[in-house]
Each structure stands twice: as structure tokens, then as C-alpha cells.
Amino acid sequence: MAIRSFLILFILFFFSSLNPILSLYEDQVGLVDWHQQYLGKVKQAVFHTHKTGRKRVVVSTEENVVASLDLRQGEIFWRHVLGSNDVIDGIDIALGKYVITLSSGGSILRAWNLPDGQMVWESSLRGPKHSKSLFLVRTNLKIEKDNIVIIFSNGRLNAVSCMDGEVLWEKDFEGESLKVQQVIQPPGSNLIYVVGFASSSLFEMYQINALNGELLKHESAAFSGGFLGEVSPVFSETVVALDSTGLILLTISFQNGKISFHQMPISNLVKDSFGPAKIIPSSVIGIFAIKMNAVTIVIRVKDESKLEVVEKTNHETSISDALSISEGQQAFALVQHASHEIHLRVKLAHNWDDNLLKESVKMDQHRGLVHKVYINNYIRTDKSYGFRALIVMEDHSLLLLQQGEIVWSREDGLASIIDVTTSELPVERDGVSVAKVEHNLFEWLKGHMLKLKGTLMLASPQDIAAIQSMRLKNSEKSKMTRDHNGFRKLLIVLTRAGKLFALHTGDGHIVWSHLLQSLQKSKVCQHPIGLNLYKWQVPHHHAMDENPSVLVIGKCGPSSDAPGALSFVDTYTGKELSSLSLVHSVAQVIPLPYTDSTEQCLHLLIDADKHAHLYPKTPEAISIFEREFSNIYWYSVEDDNGIIKGHALRGKCTGEVADEVCFDTRELWSIVFPSESEKIIATVTRKLNEVVHTQAKVIADQEVMYKYISRNLLFVATVALKGSVEIGSVTPEESWLVAYLIDTVTGRILHQVTHHGSQGPVHAVFSENWVVYHYFNLKAQRYEMSVIEIYDQSRADNKDVWKLVLGKHNLTSPISLYSRPDVITKSQSYFFTHSVKAIAVTSTTKGITSKQLLIGTIGDQVLALDKRFLDPRRTVNPTQAEKEEGIIPLTDPLPIIPQSYVTHALRVEGLRGIITVPAKLESTTLVFAHGVDLFFTQLAPSRTYDSLTDDFNYALLLITIVALLAAIFVTWTLSERKELQENWR
């Protein structure tokens, strides 16, 4: 009995050491997840470097972020992501304590508290018509002891109080056809000039009293040569512009309310000039710049009739705005890019010949060219002026330069990821030292004693910190080799700037980055656009002489017939192996499930003329492709026209485009949705690399249903034409949503369901034989999620599970997509409390682990929802057999469990996509969410049933075993002694 009781005690101790949990403890944060915050490409910056308070720079970005950064280290003090529809038009600092932002096309003006970013006030600025937004903060003009902000937006000029956001006065330009170019206020003056073009050849000027908005003077003058582009102010009552040809500079003066023009052909200033010019915006007094092709020309305006070229350069040049360093003195910066260096010069506006600062800084070539520069001054110890420059690079990175060095840098291009793929790390070779878990016996004992104290809840805060530090140190999660569980990988991401990054899944650090030459602006390609990222070469263990590589596809311009560009990049080193400038466009990319002897994946590129082009262009690839010629099908979706088409190959191209890797295509079928009643708003299909463990699904009563598994199944969602507007803009009777399941080989509609009184937007995910989609129910005024599962009835003879076990089935009989499939569907709808930005599904290496939906909520968090909650067979009162199967009783809304948030308390601001990647460990999937922020974690939908957790307490297990052995020995001795005593009686 004693031995039995100790065995029970041992079992209890053992299972208590497993520590199963649903959420993270405080000391586990950062072990398997990481979170990174970014801003996006900076488009405006304002420095705040007063003697009191922290030195900071306030920025607005193309991702609609307004943020305050520490000027010493570049860290974020605070930030606000305003949303995709709330584009920031301008920022400035008022009264030394408020950050003023203008956004939404000049419709919303906000004030934020400078130290902590709390919103102070918000004003709505409406107007009679849409127009350019202009923003002017004057600090020397006071109305009732208050500074004002001058705003021109929506055809109206407004004066707004900086203290409370009250609109003090407004002036409409509703009747005029004026296109305002500039709002100018001379320093120390109560006058405001509004200048612009009323037509292609008419210049207009309005003089307005800044105190009350009264119109003082209105003048107009015609110029027969017309105007081109924007104007640039050079003095308080003088601007420069270009004529309609772009070859003549116009100096326009409106002093004393009189408009006068002075013409200067650019050829008179620059003898070898050719082509139209473009004015580079600047606020420097008496200086402006123009660009002609790749030549930048800086011109000084001495008076309205005299222009002087002070510099001409073939290097890319950026000019900062003016910086007032003392009364009547303005400084500005010029940054020129030359080879691996950038040259920074700071000059006075009235003295071009002398430099206040001249520095050269070495720059990584993979950052590209300098796009923008902002400067700030400080007083050195010798009372002279020092300058710091904030640089925005071509790859969207942000750098601070000071005293000829890069003080800090931020990789804010990662805020605009457009595609993601993964790559395995190298296998650890023989002779490569493996990091030791503990350095010596003392450290080993110390570590396990700390873990034991933590388990028994005896650890102090210092012990908890030591445990977390030890785990991070010994986790080896940042090693540059593969691990046996497949947790360590490279995330290869492509950004909008055309830069490729490799991020380590261990801690998110950047392994390498490369600005692709094929996606950089050049004379040949003025508007390169990155499109997609694909795996190109994936060597297996037996072919490790080759590094894996990825294919980057882009195009030169936004049009559908723009020529394409390809880049091939080594994922271990980031080296661009080769690049191709294509003569054809890229409308669609089809990764084929075939590889050649070098493990290169075959890809089919479809151009705008419906020709198919095979890559790689090798004889072996062509041979493989021709063998599978008749088995290749694909589809195309024309959202605007409401047409879905199926395609196949016909033969090699003929005519001018004839090529050995070019093939003509033929249309197999088409589905045309009536444009007057339906509009396509979402399409989704299965992942090409998804693994399905089994086609059979055992249900209650030991019956078997067979999933209809097809890679050629397409989910399409359409909405009524009136319902394609914003939520709430139509009545339930005017809108409906239709979901289709379409076979893309034959064009057959296998299933169709209509949701009356519903509308989009629709977010959907397709996995195995089911699809889940999210939409808005107008009748219930709530969001809904629906599920459709499709099953194969042709296997109905195999319903008995014993036939499946004994092999008496017809699962191996051939199937043809051309024969009409015998399928049934099961569907159900559920209320869901959140609006959704993205939906994904977990994926594992063998497909055995149960699925979870990963839902990106409107709050920029990722929620994990068990697929069992979206089982269409859920009922209010499930039978006992259904309960044993795991069917959850039906409830109206889907449950939101706080512990199910994958992102915990963190937010992935501006969430755009969720990527899942299987690990080698079947229980675990890797999750990567990206937007303005990045987040990565490991997820085990069915717990880690195939491994011990990282926090498994080996020390407690060892102590338990030792105690058990000691107890067995003691009880055995006592038992023997007792037996001996009884025998002597």
C-alpha cells in the first residue's frame, strides 16, 4: 500500500510539472513572439528643440501616421495611426505645445498635446468644393492673445484658433474657378495673399485681411503662354512658375496689388538645356530650383527681372525648407548623392558662396537616393551654429546626420510590406559549434533552482527577471541555422519602395536588405512597381551546394500593359543573382507544381495580350512543361466587368511575339455576372502548398463523410450594385450578397447561396473543403460569419468506417473534373461582434492538427478562433454522439475569449495581412502579421501535444524521482523490518 500511494504521489507531481496553460506568464513575454513598431515614409517633419523639455521631431508619413520621435535615439515617444482614409495634408507646431495636423483632404484639423500626444481638440472644415489643401501656421500674429492657423481647403479659406479649434472667420471661393497654388503671409504683416490660376492662362491674386477675413483686393492678369505645374514663392509678393511648354520661367510679382510677368527662357540661363523643366518646391527666400531630365539647376532671384544660375549638377539633389536661425537670416540644406557618399551643405539664403556646414557621410548603397531633407540648428559650446539633418531615403528609411556621422536610423520601409514568403536557414554543418545551454554545472544547478522557485511561487521579482534573462540567453532562437522543430526561418518581405528584407523569425532582426535595381527609378522606368514574391529555387538536403532563392516580379508603370521586370535574389546572402527587363507585361503569375533538376520552380507569366511565358527559359524546363501541357489550367477575374474566365494553353506563339517559351492561350469558359445587379467584391482559393491529412471525416454513429478536395475550387462573393457602397448607405431591401463555389477547370457553379439584406466588405479564407467569409447583415445591423463545407457524394458507398479501416473502399478510383461532381454542402451563419481587416487559417506540416481561424480585427489585433465554433452541424441541443465527436452547442454570437488574442495586449497598427507558415513540429504553426507594425509568434492550436514545452521543469521532475527512490528504499526497509519482527513472534 505504501508503494502504491507513493506511485500516485509521483504521478501527481509529474503532471503538475507539465504546467499546461492557455495564456502567457509575465516572464514568458518575448520568448516566442516579437513586435516591432514603424512609421512609414516620412513626408513632413518639424523639429522641437527648445532648451526646456526633450528634444524631438514630429513627423507625418505616407501611412497616415503622426508621431513624435526622440531626437537622440530615434525612438517613438508617441504616435497615432489615423487610418487609410484620413490622409495627412500638413503638420506644424503651434504655441510651442500643440502639434497641429490637417487631414482628410483638408476637412479635419486636430491639435495634439506635444509631450504625450493626447488630442486637445478637433475641428471639421467643410467647404463648397474639393480643392488643394494648404496649411499655414503663423506664430507672430495674435488675435485676442491667440495664435491662428490659416487653412485653405474645399474651396474655402479658414482662420482657426490654436487654443480651442474655433473657426474665427472664413472666406468662400465658391463662385470662382480658382485653383489655389499658394497662401502667403509676409512676416509681421496682417495681409494674406491667395494666388492661383483661374484657367490655363489666367493668374489671380486675392489680398485678404488676416484679422477678419475681409477681401481687400482682387486682381487678375492673363498670360498668353499659359501655365504648367505649381508655383514656388521666392519673396513675400513674388512667385515663379513655368509656362505651358515648360521651357520659359515666369517671375510673377503682385506688389501693391499690381500683377506683372517677367519671362526668362531657360535656354538663356542654361545653354545646353533640353526638354521641359519641373519646379522643385521650396520655401527659401530668393532661391528656387528646377529639374530638367536628370539635371538639377539652382537659381537665385535678385529681382523680378534678374535670375542667376548659382549651381547646376547631374547628381540627385534634395533641397530642404528654409530654417530661420536669426532675425532676417534663413539657412537651408542641399544634399547630393554621389556613389557611396552623400554630401551635405548648409548655406545662408542671401549668401550662396559661403557654406555654414559642409560634410560627407558614407551611405549604404542599398538605401538608394536621398528623397527629402529637413534641418535643425543648435548652439555649439563655442557659440557657433551646428546643424543636424533628417534624411528620408529612397528605401523609405529615416536617418539623422550630425557632425558627419549617422546618429541613428530607422527602417520605416517595413511599414509598407506588399508581399511575404519564407526561406529555410542553412543546415548546421559538422564542426559548427552548438551553443551550450549552461556553461558549467554551477550555472545548470542555479538555473533549475530558479525554475523550481518559480514553480513553487517563491521567486522574487529579481528571480523572475533572472529566469526570463536566462531563457532569452539560452533559447538559441537567433542562430543562423535550422532547428529540429523548424521554428527558425527567414521571412523574406518585399516593400513598396522595392526593397527586399530578410527577417529572422527568432527575434525579428534584419539579416540582410537589398534595394532591387530592377525596382529603382531610372531613365528607362520612371514609375517602377513591385508586385509579387515567389519561391524560385528550394534545394533539398541532398542539394545543399545551391542556396535557396526567390523571384521578385514587378512592372514599369501602373498601366496593365507596362513591361515587367524580374529579379532573382539569394535568400541567404541577399545578393541579386540576376535581373531581367521583360518586353512583355505581367498581368498574372501562375506558380506551377513542377521543378527541374536544379530545384528551380517553373512559373507561367500571363501578359495583357493573353500570351503565356514560361520561366526559367531552359531546355529542361521547356521539356517538363511540354509533358504537362494538357494539364495546365488557370482562371482570370475581371472585377470591373464582372467576368470570370477559364483558360488553357493552345500552342506556341505565332507572329511578332514568337518565342520558344511563349505560348498562345485559349478561353475555355466564362461566367458573366450582370453588371446592373451584381458586382464582384471578393475571390479566394486554397493555398497551393496546403497539406490535407485525410479526405475522410468520421462523424457521429461511426459514419464517414468525404471532403471534396480540389485545388481548382474558387470562392466568389458578389453584392448588389447598390450595396457596393459604405455600410449603412442602403436599405436591407436594396442589397444582397451572393456566395459562389466555382470549379475553375470546367466553369461549373457547384454551390450558390444568397444572403438577403447583406453587403460587404467581404473577407474570406478557403481551406481543405470549407470556406469562411465575413460580411455585414443590414437587417440585424451586425456583422456575420458564414461557413460552407462541401462533401463528395461519389464516395457514399464508403460511409462505414470499418470499410475504410479494412481497405474495402473506392478511394483510389480515378476522378475527372469533366464529369459532373456529385457533391453536397452544409452551411451555417453566426453573428460576430467585430469588423474584420483580414482572415487567415493556421497551417501545419502534415495537416493533422485542428484548424484555427486568425482574424484581424478592426482594433488591429489578431484573434484565434477554433474552427469548431464554425462547424455547420452545430445545434442548440447536440446528441450524445455529437458531443462525443466534439460538436459545440449552438449559440447566437461567436465567442470572443480574451485569452485567444494571439497578439495579447499589443496592436499591429494598420493591419493589412496575416501569414501562416507550418513548422516541422506538427503541433505548431508560425504566424506573421504585418501592417504599419510587425508581429510574429508561434501558435499551437491543439497545444504542443508532440513535445515538451520550453518551461518544462526538469529540476522538479529530477527531485521527484530522487524522492520516490528514497521513499521506496525507506518503505522497503521498514517493510522488511516489520516482517522480520512478526516472524519472531
Side-chain angles (χ1 to χ4, degrees):
M1 289 295 294
I3 295 176
R4 186 182 302 171
S5 63
F6 275 107
L7 284 173
I8 295 172
L9 182 63
F10 165 71
I11 293 170
L12 290 175
F13 264 106
F14 177 78
F15 282 104
S16 68
S17 67
L18 293 179
N19 249 356
I21 55 173
L22 291 174
S23 54
L24 287 178
Y25 289 116
E26 182 182 2
D27 64 330
Q28 292 177 309
V29 174
L31 288 178
V32 297
D33 58 49
W34 45 265
H35 179 237
Q36 297 175 355
Q37 295 180 316
Y38 295 101
L39 304 175
K41 184 181 181 181
V42 171
K43 59 181 183 180
Q44 288 178 299
V46 183
F47 289 90
H48 184 266
T49 55
H50 292 178
K51 291 182 179 179
T52 58
R54 294 178 172 179
K55 292 179 172 56
R56 65 183 75 212
V57 58
V58 180
V59 299
S60 68
T61 74
E62 292 182 355
E63 302 300 322
N64 303 328
V65 177
V66 56
S68 174
L69 300 180
D70 182 1
L71 208 53
R72 299 184 186 277
Q73 298 177 343
E75 296 176 350
I76 299 174
F77 282 139
W78 56 261
R79 64 170 182 165
H80 295 285
V81 183
L82 301 187
S84 58
N85 297 323
D86 199 2
V87 179
I88 301 174
D89 302 305
I91 63 167
D92 210 332
I93 296 177
L95 304 176
K97 60 179 181 178
Y98 294 149
V99 176
I100 309 294
T101 62
L102 180 67
S103 61
S104 293
S107 299
I108 300 177
L109 190 69
R110 298 182 179 96
W112 314 87
N113 195 31
L114 181 62
D116 58 13
Q118 296 294 318
M119 189 166 70
V120 181
W121 52 258
E122 177 179 296
S123 292
S124 179
L125 305 176
R126 303 299 175 187
K129 62 181 181 180
H130 178 73
S131 68
K132 182 179 179 180
S133 299
L134 297 167
F135 183 61
L136 181 66
V137 176
R138 300 303 301 176
T139 56
N140 60 336
L141 178 65
K142 293 187 178 181
I143 300 176
E144 299 179 352
K145 300 179 181 180
D146 191 9
N147 284 43
I148 65 170
V149 184
I150 304 297
I151 307 292
F152 181 85
S153 64
N154 299 312
R156 177 178 291 168
L157 188 69
N158 302 273
V160 182
S161 167
C162 289
M163 291 295 295
D164 54 13
E166 179 188 358
V167 179
L168 302 178
W169 56 259
E170 57 187 30
K171 165 66 179 171
D172 280 341
F173 292 85
E174 182 178 4
E176 295 83 356
S177 59
L178 178 68
K179 292 184 178 179
V180 172
Q181 297 294 320
Q182 289 289 337
V183 175
I184 304 169
Q185 185 175 19
S189 172
N190 289 334
L191 298 178
I192 295 175
Y193 293 101
V194 178
V195 298
F197 306 131
S199 65
S200 60
S201 59
L202 187 65
F203 180 84
E204 297 210 11
M205 181 276 298
Y206 293 81
Q207 190 184 75
I208 296 172
N209 189 338
L211 299 176
N212 52 27
E214 178 188 358
L215 178 62
L216 302 177
K217 191 173 293 186
H218 173 212
E219 295 289 337
S220 61
F223 178 71
S224 58
F227 305 102
L228 176 68
E230 300 181 354
V231 303
S232 179
V234 289
F235 297 113
S236 57
E237 295 178 333
T238 304
V239 297
V240 293
L242 289 166
D243 76 335
S244 57
T245 65
L247 301 175
I248 298 176
L249 282 170
L250 301 173
T251 308
I252 308 173
S253 174
F254 41 89
Q255 292 181 3
N256 303 320
K258 300 294 183 181
I259 300 175
S260 61
F261 299 99
H262 179 266
Q263 304 180 45
M264 175 65 73
I266 298 177
S267 58
N268 291 357
L269 297 172
V270 184
K271 299 302 180 183
D272 54 349
S273 63
F274 57 92
K278 179 183 177 182
I279 291 179
I280 300 175
S282 174
S283 63
V284 183
I285 292 177
I287 288 178
F288 69 99
I290 61 174
K291 192 167 185 177
M292 302 181 70
N293 295 322
V295 179
T296 302
I297 304 166
V298 183
I299 301 173
R300 179 163 55 189
V301 183
K302 291 189 173 180
D303 55 54
E304 64 180 74
S305 60
K306 189 173 181 181
L307 305 179
E308 178 187 4
V309 175
V310 291
E311 182 161 321
K312 175 187 170 186
T313 178
N314 293 323
H315 297 298
E316 287 290 333
T317 304
S318 296
I319 301 176
S320 73
D321 286 338
L323 171 69
S324 294
I325 57 175
S326 61
E327 187 174 354
Q329 281 195 330
Q330 282 189 344
F332 67 98
L334 290 95
V335 177
Q336 293 178 342
H337 203 286
S339 186
H340 299 292
E341 287 186 335
I342 59 171
H343 304 296
L344 171 66
R345 290 178 293 162
V346 178
K347 294 177 174 290
L348 289 173
H350 64 275
N351 183 7
W352 181 266
D353 298 329
D354 296 330
N355 294 317
L356 293 176
L357 178 71
K358 186 175 182 180
E359 294 176 344
S360 294
V361 182
K362 290 184 178 180
M363 188 63 61
D364 182 1
Q365 61 178 344
H366 293 305
R367 295 193 183 275
L369 303 173
V370 177
H371 275 195
K372 292 182 181 179
V373 56
Y374 306 91
I375 61 167
N376 174 246
N377 67 305
Y378 60 93
I379 305 297
R380 295 193 182 106
T381 54
D382 60 357
K383 305 301 182 182
S384 63
Y385 285 114
F387 295 90
R388 54 176 73 94
L390 193 69
I391 305 290
V392 183
M393 303 299 293
E394 186 179 0
D395 67 342
H396 298 184
S397 60
L398 186 66
L399 300 86
L400 184 73
L401 308 184
Q402 187 171 331
Q403 296 181 354
E405 295 182 353
I406 299 175
V407 180
W408 52 259
S409 63
R410 295 181 52 88
E411 294 290 351
D412 284 308
L414 287 169
S416 56
I417 292 174
I418 58 177
D419 204 2
V420 183
T421 189
T422 59
S423 173
E424 294 289 348
L425 284 163
V427 175
E428 193 164 31
R429 303 278 189 179
D430 293 337
V432 177
S433 60
V434 179
K436 294 180 181 179
V437 178
E438 280 80 19
H439 296 296
N440 49 49
L441 181 60
F442 175 76
E443 290 293 329
W444 186 87
L445 291 172
K446 178 183 176 183
H448 285 297
M449 287 304 297
L450 285 172
K451 289 180 183 178
L452 179 61
K453 290 175 69 176
T455 303
L456 300 176
M457 293 197 240
L458 300 175
S460 65
Q462 292 80 8
D463 292 336
I464 293 174
I467 292 170
Q468 186 174 9
S469 174
M470 190 177 300
R471 284 175 175 168
L472 290 172
K473 182 179 179 181
N474 296 329
S475 64
E476 297 185 351
K477 63 180 183 177
S478 300
K479 285 184 65 176
M480 287 302 298
T481 55
R482 300 182 195 182
D483 61 312
H484 64 279
N485 288 329
F487 296 159
R488 292 198 296 263
K489 295 181 186 290
L490 290 178
L491 292 168
I492 312 298
V493 301
L494 176 65
T495 68
R496 194 181 302 132
K499 191 170 187 178
L500 210 58
F501 289 87
L503 307 178
H504 197 293
T505 57
D507 57 4
H509 76 270
I510 297 172
V511 178
W512 54 259
S513 61
H514 185 90
L515 186 62
L516 299 173
Q517 193 172 3
S518 60
L519 296 181
Q520 283 185 270
K521 185 178 178 181
S522 62
K523 292 181 181 179
V524 178
C525 184
Q526 290 293 316
H527 303 287
I529 299 173
L531 295 177
N532 298 107
L533 199 56
Y534 297 93
K535 292 183 179 180
W536 178 250
Q537 191 171 21
V538 188
H540 291 90
H541 294 292
H542 64 273
M544 294 306 297
D545 294 334
E546 297 287 342
N547 289 351
S549 57
V550 292
L551 167 64
V552 184
I553 299 181
K555 63 178 182 177
C556 185
S559 64
S560 60
D561 59 349
L566 306 182
S567 289
F568 306 91
V569 181
D570 187 319
T571 60
Y572 287 173
T573 64
K575 180 182 178 182
E576 190 168 6
L577 303 174
S578 62
S579 62
L580 296 174
S581 296
L582 307 181
V583 294
H584 59 83
S585 59
V586 180
Q588 194 174 355
V589 181
I590 304 167
L592 300 175
Y594 315 118
T595 58
D596 61 15
S597 60
T598 63
E599 310 275 356
Q600 287 186 346
C601 304
L602 274 62
H603 291 74
L604 203 60
L605 275 58
I606 314 300
D607 63 21
D609 298 323
K610 304 302 181 186
H611 295 299
H613 304 267
L614 176 66
Y615 292 89
K617 296 182 177 182
T618 60
E620 185 186 2
I622 296 171
S623 175
I624 296 171
F625 183 75
E626 288 177 345
R627 285 201 305 268
E628 304 292 340
F629 194 86
S630 59
N631 297 324
I632 297 173
Y633 302 88
W634 71 94
Y635 68 93
S636 61
V637 180
E638 300 175 15
D639 295 338
D640 297 334
N641 300 324
I643 300 175
I644 301 177
K645 296 178 180 179
H647 307 274
L649 297 166
R650 182 168 56 191
K652 291 201 173 182
C653 294
T654 57
E656 295 181 359
V657 293
D659 189 343
E660 61 178 358
V661 295
C662 177
F663 300 87
D664 285 330
T665 64
R666 56 193 173 99
E667 184 180 314
L668 296 177
W669 54 266
S670 64
I671 298 175
V672 181
F673 298 96
S675 58
E676 64 276 4
S677 60
E678 288 186 71
K679 180 181 180 181
I680 299 174
I681 58 172
T683 59
V684 67
T685 188
R686 282 180 56 200
K687 283 185 178 180
L688 293 175
N689 59 350
E690 184 183 32
V691 178
V692 180
H693 176 61
T694 178
Q695 187 184 357
K697 180 176 182 180
V698 181
I699 60 175
D701 302 325
Q702 301 302 311
E703 287 192 354
V704 180
M705 296 182 70
Y706 293 93
K707 305 171 186 176
Y708 184 79
I709 304 295
S710 173
R711 297 187 186 277
N712 302 306
L713 211 54
L714 173 68
F715 169 80
V716 179
T718 66
V719 71
L721 200 59
K722 289 186 177 180
S724 59
V725 293
E726 292 183 359
I727 292 176
S729 302
V730 292
T731 62
E733 293 75 20
E734 294 176 317
S735 182
W736 58 87
L737 186 143
V738 187
Y740 300 89
L741 291 178
I742 300 173
D743 189 317
T744 58
V745 174
T746 62
R748 289 193 182 98
I749 297 177
L750 302 182
H751 180 69
Q752 174 182 346
V753 60
T754 303
H755 301 275
H756 295 283
S758 300
Q759 69 173 132
V762 171
H763 296 88
V765 63
F766 206 140
S767 177
E768 295 189 352
N769 68 320
W770 53 264
V771 61
V772 172
Y773 52 103
H774 176 277
Y775 55 93
F776 188 75
N777 187 326
L778 288 166
K779 289 182 178 179
Q781 289 296 303
R782 297 173 74 176
Y783 288 101
E784 280 187 1
M785 291 184 77
S786 291
V787 58
I788 301 173
E789 292 185 356
I790 183 167
Y791 292 94
D792 188 354
Q793 280 295 90
S794 65
R795 312 297 190 185
D797 295 337
N798 303 313
K799 285 189 174 181
D800 190 350
V801 69
W802 293 110
K803 284 187 177 182
L804 183 65
V805 172
L806 298 174
K808 297 180 179 180
H809 53 73
N810 62 349
L811 296 181
T812 57
S813 59
I815 298 175
S816 173
L817 287 172
Y818 287 106
S819 60
R820 187 170 187 84
D822 184 12
V823 297
I824 62 168
T825 58
K826 295 181 179 293
S827 60
Q828 182 67 277
S829 296
Y830 307 89
F831 287 125
F832 190 67
T833 55
H834 287 300
S835 176
V836 166
K837 287 187 171 184
I839 301 182
V841 64
T842 56
S843 57
T844 54
T845 186
K846 300 294 184 184
I848 300 172
T849 306
S850 59
K851 302 282 187 180
Q852 281 189 341
L853 292 172
L854 301 177
I855 302 170
T857 66
I858 193 65
D860 291 323
Q861 291 185 297
V862 179
L863 174 71
L865 183 65
D866 198 316
K867 169 61 175 62
R868 292 184 301 160
F869 287 112
L870 285 151
D871 192 323
R873 297 185 298 123
R874 286 179 66 189
T875 58
V876 177
N877 296 307
T879 63
Q880 184 61 34
E882 288 175 334
K883 289 180 180 178
E884 292 175 359
E885 185 190 341
I887 300 294
I888 301 173
L890 179 64
T891 54
D892 266 351
L894 292 169
I896 305 296
I897 304 170
Q899 290 86 355
S900 296
Y901 281 100
V902 175
T903 48
H904 319 302
L906 303 172
R907 296 179 62 183
V908 186
E909 295 284 1
L911 179 65
R912 284 189 293 268
I914 303 170
I915 311 298
T916 60
V917 182
K920 287 183 181 179
L921 202 63
E922 169 58 27
S923 65
T924 308
T925 183
L926 309 180
V927 180
F928 178 61
H930 65 90
V932 175
D933 293 347
L934 306 182
F935 178 82
F936 176 86
T937 190
Q938 299 171 15
L939 193 63
S942 301
R943 309 268 185 98
T944 50
Y945 57 83
D946 51 358
S947 68
L948 296 175
T949 59
D950 291 336
D951 58 348
F952 183 83
N953 201 323
Y954 293 95
L956 183 59
L957 177 61
L958 181 62
I959 292 172
T960 304
I961 293 172
V962 171
L964 179 62
L965 292 174
I968 291 173
F969 178 77
V970 170
T971 54
W972 176 78
T973 303
L974 292 175
S975 178
E976 288 290 323
R977 184 178 299 177
K978 184 177 181 182
E979 185 179 354
L980 181 62
Q981 290 176 352
E982 288 180 352
N983 290 336
W984 276 104
R985 286 178 182 177

